[in-house]
Amino acid sequence: MTAQNTAATRRPALLGGTRLSPKQRLVLLLATLAGGLSAWHALAPSWQVPLPSPAVLGEERLQDFRDALYFPIREFLHGGNPYDPAAMFAHWPVRQDFNLYQPYHLLLHAPFALPGYRVGAVAFSLFSLLLLVALAALTAHAVRRYVAVPFSVTTAVVSALLLTSQVGKAQLYVGQVNPLVALGAAGALLARRDRPGWAAVALALAWLKPQYGFPLAVLLFARGSRRVALVGTAIAATASLPVVVLLVVRGGGVGPFLDVVVANLTHARATDYGAVDSPTAQRIDVAAVLFRVTGWVPAGIELVVLAVVLVTSALLARRVPAPLADLLTCLAVVVCVVHQPGDVLIAVPSMAAVAASWWRHRAEPGWGAAGLAVLALAVPFAHLYTVDAAVAATLGARAAVTLDGVAVVAAWGLAVFAAVRPIRVRTA
């Protein structure tokens, strides 16, 4: 076989296992161009945002990079405890306290806090962009389990949609760590059977934010992936242990360290963006949505919601095959405890897989609720600035911040309904 013939036989594999048709090549080209333009626009805040100072504390561009990554790591490297709200507000130009991220976060993301702020911001934004593309590739892999579509085309299309959507743009605009967490959560779900070792590592990444890691580990355990749940949790704990020990030693013992943790939780519950009874918080969990819709917040509602959502989802996810079980799992994670609209990023692969399966089986009974769940979950992605302005002008600001939460809770309810009446899924 000649070199030319060898190259010809390899080319289809590089493009996803099948030779692209002219229409598919056109879609690939247009998606790549659209994704490139959206990427440039989404990266711009990293070099346009003013340098942090007390005069620009209200600046939203890169605020999570500033408040949850750059300056907490600087505080840690300078010998302090970044979990202490009083210390962070006294030493650095931050507007938000540093929530209880896994301590290993302070080491994992240290490379982005070592250089100057501008260099760190641009590097972190580029890294997040690559993670979103990786999430799109993972989505393409998930979709190909159920529908035979070119991997390269699906990756390009999903990347373009992510970077154009409100959820995707927000990751880079605000400087969130959600792309890494989403990649970990989605990877744990997709690899839990075939590659449990990698799935455990992926779960450890999802543990970066405990409000992701805890419910996801519980649901994985309930769905039979006990080794993944336990090993992934152990990896996260082991990676964080050296940082915790150092902070305990610095603070003068376990007691003072626990006092800082309590102060951190107390401060978070009192903030406009974190309190369950805040009318302006962009929370999408059941407890917060219930309050903003009804004005009613019973005592202990958050613990009740956590238990009810996890138990219900765990029991139903065992009855249905993927991808519906994965979508139900992701939705349960984001509605059972404190989460915001951008956190639905973890559901992108399962959302796309359910959408592809629905299209293939839309004429069959039982798929209606699953399709509607995907449609409801699309609301946060389509909630662009123009949409937000229109909703606020028509229904008021409270309705605008409640819209995403209502849609996500409705998506979970529809997924539950679909799981109650199991549907069959045929792989491609």
Side-chain angles (χ1 to χ4, degrees):
M1 181 180 292
T2 65
Q4 183 178 2
N5 290 335
T6 302
T9 59
R10 289 178 179 172
R11 190 175 299 115
L14 293 174
L15 294 174
T18 57
R19 188 180 298 278
L20 297 184
S21 67
K23 183 182 294 185
Q24 290 170 338
R25 290 193 186 96
L26 178 60
V27 172
L28 177 61
L29 175 62
L30 293 177
T32 301
L33 291 175
L37 290 174
S38 295
W40 179 261
H41 178 72
L43 286 171
S46 65
W47 59 75
Q48 293 175 347
V49 63
L51 295 178
S53 72
V56 292
L57 287 182
E59 177 60 62
E60 293 183 351
R61 288 174 294 181
L62 278 297
Q63 69 172 12
D64 278 17
F65 172 75
R66 177 193 66 197
D67 298 349
L69 193 153
Y70 191 82
F71 288 119
I73 294 176
R74 285 284 177 127
E75 174 71 12
F76 175 70
L77 295 177
H78 279 73
N81 186 344
Y83 295 106
D84 185 355
M88 289 301 300
F89 291 132
H91 301 159
W92 308 102
V94 296
R95 185 175 65 169
Q96 306 168 101
D97 69 317
F98 177 55
N99 293 324
L100 296 178
Y101 287 28
Q102 280 286 342
Y104 74 72
H105 162 67
L106 299 171
L107 298 178
L108 181 66
H109 288 114
F112 301 109
L114 293 176
Y117 184 83
R118 180 74 64 200
V119 174
V122 172
F124 180 73
S125 296
L126 285 170
F127 178 66
S128 299
L129 174 64
L130 294 176
L131 290 175
L132 288 177
V133 174
L135 182 65
L138 202 63
T139 302
H141 175 71
V143 169
R144 290 193 68 197
R145 290 183 174 184
Y146 308 100
V147 181
V149 290
F151 179 85
S152 57
V153 175
T154 307
T155 300
V157 170
V158 174
S159 295
L161 291 175
L162 273 178
L163 293 170
T164 306
S165 72
Q166 182 63 23
V167 169
K169 290 193 301 182
Q171 310 307 312
L172 276 66
Y173 186 86
V174 185
Q176 297 180 334
V177 297
N178 284 339
L180 180 62
V181 176
L183 196 63
L189 286 169
L190 289 175
R192 68 190 187 91
R193 293 189 184 278
D194 300 332
R195 295 179 174 84
W198 284 111
V201 174
L203 175 61
L205 291 176
W207 261 106
L208 193 151
K209 287 186 175 183
Q211 71 264 38
Y212 284 97
F214 172 72
L216 182 57
V218 169
L219 291 169
L220 284 171
F221 189 91
R223 290 178 60 184
S225 298
R226 298 180 179 180
R227 182 179 177 183
V228 172
L230 295 175
V231 174
T233 301
I235 291 173
T238 302
S240 293
L241 186 60
V243 179
V244 172
V245 170
L246 182 58
L247 291 176
V248 168
V249 172
R250 285 179 179 177
V254 174
F257 176 76
L258 293 179
D259 290 340
V260 168
V261 172
V262 172
N264 188 290
L265 292 171
T266 301
H267 182 272
R269 292 194 190 100
T271 60
D272 290 338
Y273 58 85
V276 67
D277 57 351
S278 169
T280 60
Q282 292 185 335
R283 285 175 53 172
I284 58 172
D285 52 283
V286 172
V289 171
L290 177 66
F291 167 75
R292 288 204 305 276
V293 171
T294 67
W296 179 57
V297 53
I301 183 63
E302 290 179 290
L303 288 177
V304 172
V305 166
L306 176 66
V308 170
V309 170
L310 288 185
V311 170
T312 301
S313 302
L315 292 175
L316 291 177
R318 294 174 63 91
R319 300 180 49 183
V320 295
L324 182 57
D326 289 346
L327 180 64
L328 179 60
T329 298
C330 291
L331 287 170
V333 167
V334 296
V335 301
C336 73
V337 71
V338 183
H339 278 285
Q340 296 187 345
D343 297 348
V344 299
L345 195 66
I346 69 169
V348 168
S350 58
M351 178 184 178
V354 169
S357 296
W358 170 83
W359 179 257
R360 186 180 181 185
H361 305 286
R362 62 190 183 280
E364 301 175 12
W367 278 96
L372 289 174
V374 171
L375 189 62
L377 188 55
V379 170
F381 292 89
H383 196 169
L384 301 170
Y385 175 78
T386 53
V387 175
D388 186 72
V391 173
T394 306
L395 302 176
R398 184 164 177 168
V401 298
T402 305
L403 177 62
D404 289 344
V406 170
V408 175
V409 171
W412 176 74
L414 288 164
V416 167
F417 182 78
V420 169
R421 302 175 61 186
I423 55 182
R424 293 183 179 180
V425 178
R426 294 195 302 268
T427 58

